[in-house]
Amino acid sequence: MVSVLFTAILAGVVRAPAQASPGPPGAVVAIAPLGRAWGGLDRVARLSYLTTDGFGHTVSASGLVRTPAGTPPPGGWPVVVWTHGTSGLGPDCGLTASTIAERADSAIVAEVNRAGYAVVAPEYLGLSPADVIAGQRTHPYLQTRSEATASADIVRAAHIALPGLSRRWAVVGVSQGGHAALATGNVASARARDLDFRGTVAMAPASNVENAILALRPGVPALPAGLTGTVAAILAGMAANSDDVDVGKYLTPLGRGIIDRISSVCAPDFASVVGQTPAGRLVSRPLDDPVFAAALRRYMAVPTTGYDRPILVVQGFRDADVPLPLTAALLGEFAAAGTRYEFRVVDSDHGDLPWRGGLDAATEFLGRVMDNSAMDNSVMDNN
């Protein structure tokens, strides 16, 4: 059965201008069917909208929208913002250009639709081919601020563009997307005051990675497998998207070359860019310099206070990419700050976390917080 909302898009019954025009964050630039099956799914539309980058500039962004088939329930489909995991830094690494991201994320979108939710999924800044035309910088990988604005503003745009959506919404993400989900949940109520934000699900959220980066100094040996590429990607995103510090001044010529190359590749190629380079050869001076440390924390630290809606954190105990101790450290910071949360540990590694209990936990949580009678912070619980 074809979605009523998708039929409206096809018929042009959407509240979106034909061409981009200046407007506030959350304004719609355009919406149209994707024009092909996406990961085997039909009824997928591409939504272009305005948001705010890490410098505070209004920029264009893009993402995907898919609703369940059929007629919306009374009050409209509740909305889940899906924030995807690490896909890379270049403009061919987003949801619509990367076949790897398409396969992984389309399955999750379909599952959330089956649970009865409309899904909007930001590509983040810099990960769409359209971003090249718009003059976007390198993707600001793990930048808290731009992840939050891109994710909150796409749901605002979806409500402008499409009929049949409920004001109720939540955010769910994994890995980088777990980081983005927490960033979004921290600002959601203030960023989208005309909507009804209900809660955050963060699966294996990237957190406290900045502490590993701040330990880097010349001569440090190789980091664990995969981490050097992640560190290089963070430094590349920060170098292009932060005016707090000149990242290049802290890098060796070799480090600057690696940062430059990794700025345009997708995640599967991170390892080939860094090769066997020891992390200590990337930097020319210790990164725990107070100026650099402050800038890095502003760039990527997960907020530990300021949440006003329920939080669920889900972690796989066999996860080697975002190990349980890192997430435990984040939860300790939440507890010390008085931030309430729910926590679930499931039998999974990093890659299969959604399918080995993560999505089940998320769906159960969403069912509680999205219920019209259940908007009460008493559902939050420190476990």
Side-chain angles (χ1 to χ4, degrees), residues 192-265:
R193 294 181 184 277
D194 54 334
L195 302 178
D196 183 7
F197 180 65
R198 295 300 183 97
T200 300
V201 180
M203 293 185 275
S207 64
N208 289 297
V209 182
E210 63 271 22
N211 295 327
I213 295 175
L214 293 176
L216 285 184
R217 61 194 59 243
V220 167
L223 294 172
L227 187 54
T228 300
T230 299
V231 168
I234 292 168
L235 293 175
M238 184 179 175
N241 295 280
S242 173
D243 55 7
D244 288 349
V245 67
D246 183 350
V247 174
K249 290 184 176 179
Y250 292 81
L251 303 176
T252 62
L254 174 63
R256 287 193 290 272
I258 287 175
I259 296 309
D260 182 63
R261 291 195 299 278
I262 211 167
S263 295
S264 60
V265 305

Side-chain angles (χ1 to χ4, degrees), residues 29-48:
V29 175
I31 186 169
L34 194 57
R36 62 177 179 84
W38 179 71
L41 302 183
D42 59 2
R43 308 192 319 273
V44 179
R46 184 182 185 86
L47 175 61
S48 299

Side-chain angles (χ1 to χ4, degrees), residues 37-41 44 64 66 82 84 95 99-114 119 355:
W38 179 71
L41 302 183
V44 179
L64 301 180
R66 189 176 192 257
W82 169 248
H84 66 81
L95 296 176
T99 56
I100 295 174
E102 182 172 328
R103 284 196 302 270
D105 291 279
S106 61
I108 291 173
V109 169
E111 190 70 16
V112 177
N113 281 157
R114 278 191 287 270
V119 178
W355 305 110

Side-chain angles (χ1 to χ4, degrees), residues 88-339:
L89 272 70
D92 294 325
C93 305
L95 296 176
T96 55
S98 165
T99 56
I100 295 174
E102 182 172 328
R103 284 196 302 270
D105 291 279
S106 61
I108 291 173
V109 169
E111 190 70 16
V112 177
N113 281 157
R114 278 191 287 270
Y117 302 102
V119 178
V120 295
E123 291 201 278
Y124 307 138
L125 300 183
L127 296 183
S128 166
D131 291 342
V132 175
I133 300 171
Q136 293 275 0
R137 299 166 182 261
T138 296
H139 167 53
Y141 181 50
L142 289 178
Q143 184 183 47
T144 309
R145 178 175 178 178
S146 62
E147 286 176 343
T149 54
S151 301
D153 291 340
I154 192 173
V155 72
R156 298 167 67 200
H159 280 84
I160 294 170
L162 294 171
L165 299 183
S166 168
R167 292 177 59 251
R168 288 171 287 147
W169 70 285
V171 59
V172 180
V174 65
S175 193
Q176 178 187 4
H179 180 277
L182 289 168
T184 303
N186 192 253
V187 304
S189 295
R191 187 81 181 181
R193 294 181 184 277
D194 54 334
L195 302 178
D196 183 7
F197 180 65
R198 295 300 183 97
T200 300
V201 180
M203 293 185 275
S207 64
N208 289 297
V209 182
E210 63 271 22
N211 295 327
I213 295 175
L214 293 176
L216 285 184
R217 61 194 59 243
V220 167
L223 294 172
L227 187 54
T228 300
T230 299
V231 168
I234 292 168
L235 293 175
M238 184 179 175
N241 295 280
S242 173
D243 55 7
D244 288 349
V245 67
D246 183 350
V247 174
K249 290 184 176 179
Y250 292 81
L251 303 176
T252 62
L254 174 63
R256 287 193 290 272
I258 287 175
I259 296 309
D260 182 63
R261 291 195 299 278
I262 211 167
S263 295
S264 60
V265 305
C266 299
D269 296 322
F270 284 1
S272 64
V273 171
V274 300
Q276 300 300 313
T277 305
R281 292 190 62 198
L282 299 179
V283 298
S284 60
R285 53 201 273 200
L287 295 189
D288 61 357
D289 168 82
V291 173
F292 185 90
L296 181 65
R297 291 194 171 100
R298 282 192 296 271
Y299 177 82
M300 66 177 298
V302 173
T304 57
T305 62
Y307 297 91
D308 63 357
R309 293 294 183 267
I311 300 168
L312 170 65
V313 178
V314 185
Q315 176 71 35
F317 73 79
R318 292 186 285 106
D319 194 328
D321 293 340
V322 179
L324 180 56
L326 281 184
T327 299
L330 174 65
L331 298 182
E333 292 164 356
F334 280 165
T339 296

Side-chain angles (χ1 to χ4, degrees), residues 59-75:
V59 297
S60 62
S62 62
L64 301 180
V65 182
R66 189 176 192 257
T67 61
T71 303

